[in-house]
């Protein structure tokens, strides 16, 4: 297929965690298709991109961030601008398509966890107001699931065709041979810390298993977490004899390696837009122990589901999964649609 070659500016200045991985993958594919792309990324962005401009990690409301984007847009004169961080740009540019990648479901009204601190709730409210006010500056919204599409379209009263479901994720870079793996962890949870990620209940579940004479090794991609509830749950579990290992921030390739060598992947999150770890675990044909929520069935199919609000339910499901002689691998239900994203940015799909 011959695609139109386009110049594309991507504002990924507020990316982090899984969105960094997606930004890298998008960059690689745009270059592969012959597009001229330019990424604006935070200074702590560690991956090498084809062409990028690093700025300080300004907040979404900082005028310096918008000024940097305006300067580059004026200089670069792109055919398309993609806002990679949920919030549309504060102004439109002439002769240019404007797209927004919405990938934080907890920004949708009514979906943020109830236990989050007031300061976080107020920040979410401010972002929601900004999205509603600036929605006129986006021609097309890109989301990763139909669950998010329905919620976003209803909230912003978007017309049919304004929201496109196009999940994208980089496949594992190595061949999969599930028969020749030396498991080093019983359970692996690849996720940064956020309240909707539900780390505390997972740790309490591991402690519950310990109380019932079931000892499992849990690996978390976390370092120091300055959250009192997390520290309390972690200290209590460790004092109870639980084997919980904080692996720190590891590379995406290292995540694949640890995941491949683990017996199962656990995903207690109460809300996700996609759940990159879920997709990757299913791609690697790993058993997945996950929350029984209405968004997860669109992403993967698994026999091991629990109530994410109950450490006992999490613990019982972990025990059931790891005690089976032949664990059932999760089945991935979505496909990589990076081609659709690239076509939207180039104008091919318009």
């Amino acid at each position: 297929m011959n695609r139109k070659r386009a110049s594309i500016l991507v504002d990924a200045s507020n990316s982090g965690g899984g969105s960094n991985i997606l930004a890298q993958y998008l960059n690689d594919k745009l270059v592969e298709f012959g597009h001229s792309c330019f990424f604006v990324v935070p200074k702590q962005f560690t991956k090498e991109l084809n062409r990028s401009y690093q700025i300080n990690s300004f907040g979404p409301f900082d005028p310096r961030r918008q000024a940097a984007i305006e300067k580059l847009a004026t200089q670069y004169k792109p055919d398309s601008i993609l806002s990679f961080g949920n919030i549309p740009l504060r102004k439109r540019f002439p002769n240019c398509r404007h797209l927004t990648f919405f990938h934080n479901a907890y920004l949708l009204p009514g979906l943020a966890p109830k236990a989050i601190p007031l300061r976080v709730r107020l920040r979410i409210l401010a972002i929601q107001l900004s999205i509603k006010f600036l929605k006129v500056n986006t021609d097309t919204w890109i989301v990763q699931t139909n669950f998010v599409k329905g919620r976003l379209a209803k909230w912003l009263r978007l017309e049919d065709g304004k929201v496109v479901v196009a999940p994208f994720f980089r496949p594992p870079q190595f061949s999969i041979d599930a028969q020749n793996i030396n498991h080093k962890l019983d359970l692996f949870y690849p996720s940064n810390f956020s309240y909707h990620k539900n780390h505390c209940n997972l740790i309490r579940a591991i402690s519950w298993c310990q109380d019932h004479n079931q000892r499992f090794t849990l690996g978390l991609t976390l370092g120091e977490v300055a959250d009192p509830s997390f520290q309390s749950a972690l200290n209590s579990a460790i004092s109870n004899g639980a084997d919980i290992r904080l692996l720190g921030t590891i590379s995406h390739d290292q995540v694949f390696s640890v995941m491949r060598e683990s017996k199962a992947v656990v995903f207690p999150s109460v809300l996700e837009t996609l759940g990159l770890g879920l997709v990757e675990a299913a791609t690697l044909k790993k058993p997945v122990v996950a929350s029984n929520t209405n968004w997860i069935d669109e992403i993967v199919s698994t026999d091991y589901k629990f109530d994410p609000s109950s450490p006992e339910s999490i613990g019982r499901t972990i025990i059931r999964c790891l005690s089976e002689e032949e664990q059932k691998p999760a089945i991935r239900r979505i496909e990589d649609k990076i081609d659709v994203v690239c076509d939207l940015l180039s104008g091919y799909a318009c």
Side-chain angles (χ1 to χ4, degrees):
M1 181 186 296
N2 292 322
R3 289 177 168 83
K4 174 186 175 183
R5 302 299 185 254
S7 60
I8 300 162
L9 176 63
V10 180
D11 173 20
S13 56
N14 277 323
S15 67
S19 61
N20 279 355
I21 297 168
L22 297 180
Q24 172 70 40
Y25 184 40
L26 177 60
N27 171 83
D28 293 347
K29 282 296 182 179
L30 288 173
V31 172
E32 178 184 323
F33 292 148
H35 299 304
S36 173
C37 57
F38 196 97
F39 277 68
V40 181
V41 296
K43 286 186 176 179
Q44 65 268 28
F45 195 92
T46 56
K47 297 289 185 180
E48 290 187 9
L49 300 181
N50 182 52
R51 298 170 68 192
S52 64
Y53 178 77
Q54 292 187 322
I55 64 174
N56 290 321
S57 187
F58 299 129
F61 311 115
D62 195 310
R64 291 173 293 179
R65 172 174 170 258
Q66 181 69 21
I69 302 301
E70 290 185 15
K71 178 180 178 181
L72 290 168
T74 302
Q75 175 184 343
Y76 192 51
K77 295 181 173 57
D79 298 309
S80 298
I81 298 179
L82 173 64
S83 299
F84 206 75
N86 305 292
I87 306 174
L89 292 179
R90 288 168 57 182
K91 66 173 288 187
R92 295 182 67 97
F93 296 91
N95 305 314
C96 179
R97 291 180 299 275
H98 293 74
L99 304 93
T100 297
F101 178 41
F102 186 88
H103 56 88
N104 281 347
Y106 63 82
L107 295 177
L108 293 167
L111 293 186
K114 295 179 180 179
I116 61 175
L118 178 60
R119 58 179 176 79
V120 178
R121 193 172 295 278
L122 291 175
R123 176 180 171 82
I124 289 174
L125 178 59
I127 293 175
Q128 289 173 342
L129 292 173
S130 296
I131 291 173
K132 287 198 71 172
F133 180 73
L134 298 173
K135 69 176 184 178
V136 295
N137 292 341
T138 287
D139 302 311
T140 303
W141 298 80
I142 301 172
V143 299
Q144 295 175 298
T145 62
N146 285 297
F147 171 78
V148 172
K149 175 183 178 179
R151 292 273 188 158
L152 183 68
K154 182 178 180 180
W155 172 41
L156 298 181
R157 299 181 180 179
L158 300 174
E159 301 172 359
D160 289 343
K162 291 275 286 186
V163 186
V164 177
V165 179
F168 59 101
F169 47 89
R170 187 191 298 276
Q173 300 297 301
F174 46 75
S175 61
I176 302 170
D177 185 0
Q179 303 303 317
N180 297 306
I181 298 173
N182 294 318
H183 300 125
K184 294 183 179 179
L185 293 171
D186 294 312
L187 296 161
F188 180 46
Y189 183 26
S191 175
N192 58 358
F193 180 81
S194 187
Y195 293 98
H196 68 285
K197 300 292 188 178
N198 206 22
H199 283 88
C200 293
N201 274 348
L202 173 59
I203 291 172
R204 295 183 185 111
I206 296 299
S207 188
W208 183 91
C209 292
Q210 186 79 14
D211 289 338
H212 291 77
N213 300 315
Q214 299 288 330
R215 192 170 190 268
F216 303 118
T217 303
L218 169 66
L220 304 174
T221 53
L222 298 176
E224 292 292 328
V225 176
D227 179 78
S229 59
F230 174 86
Q231 289 298 334
S232 175
L234 181 63
N235 292 338
S236 176
I238 291 176
S239 65
N240 197 30
D243 188 356
I244 299 174
R245 304 178 187 181
L246 302 185
L247 307 179
T249 302
I250 60 178
S251 71
H252 197 209
D253 289 342
Q254 289 173 319
V255 168
F256 281 143
S257 178
V258 175
M259 187 179 290
R260 184 174 61 171
E261 295 175 351
S262 300
K263 290 182 180 178
V265 173
V266 60
F267 218 87
S269 179
V270 297
L271 180 67
E272 290 290 342
T273 310
L274 177 67
L276 196 56
L278 283 171
V279 175
E280 293 166 346
T283 302
L284 290 173
K285 304 187 185 305
K286 304 299 295 184
V288 170
V289 187
S291 300
N292 187 14
T293 53
N294 55 3
W295 53 268
I296 201 168
D297 288 338
E298 187 177 348
I299 302 168
V300 299
S301 173
T302 176
D303 282 3
Y304 311 109
K305 293 183 180 179
F306 52 72
D307 175 0
S309 67
S310 168
E312 179 179 345
S313 176
I314 300 172
R316 288 187 182 278
T317 309
I318 288 172
I319 292 172
R320 178 167 65 87
C321 173
L322 294 180
S323 63
E324 291 183 352
E325 289 188 10
E326 293 188 10
Q327 298 162 344
K328 303 176 184 67
I331 299 172
R332 196 181 73 203
R333 286 184 163 176
I334 62 172
E335 298 300 326
D336 178 20
K337 294 186 178 180
I338 189 67
D339 289 13
V340 174
V341 177
C342 292
D343 285 346
L344 286 167
L345 291 172
S346 69
Y348 182 86
C350 298

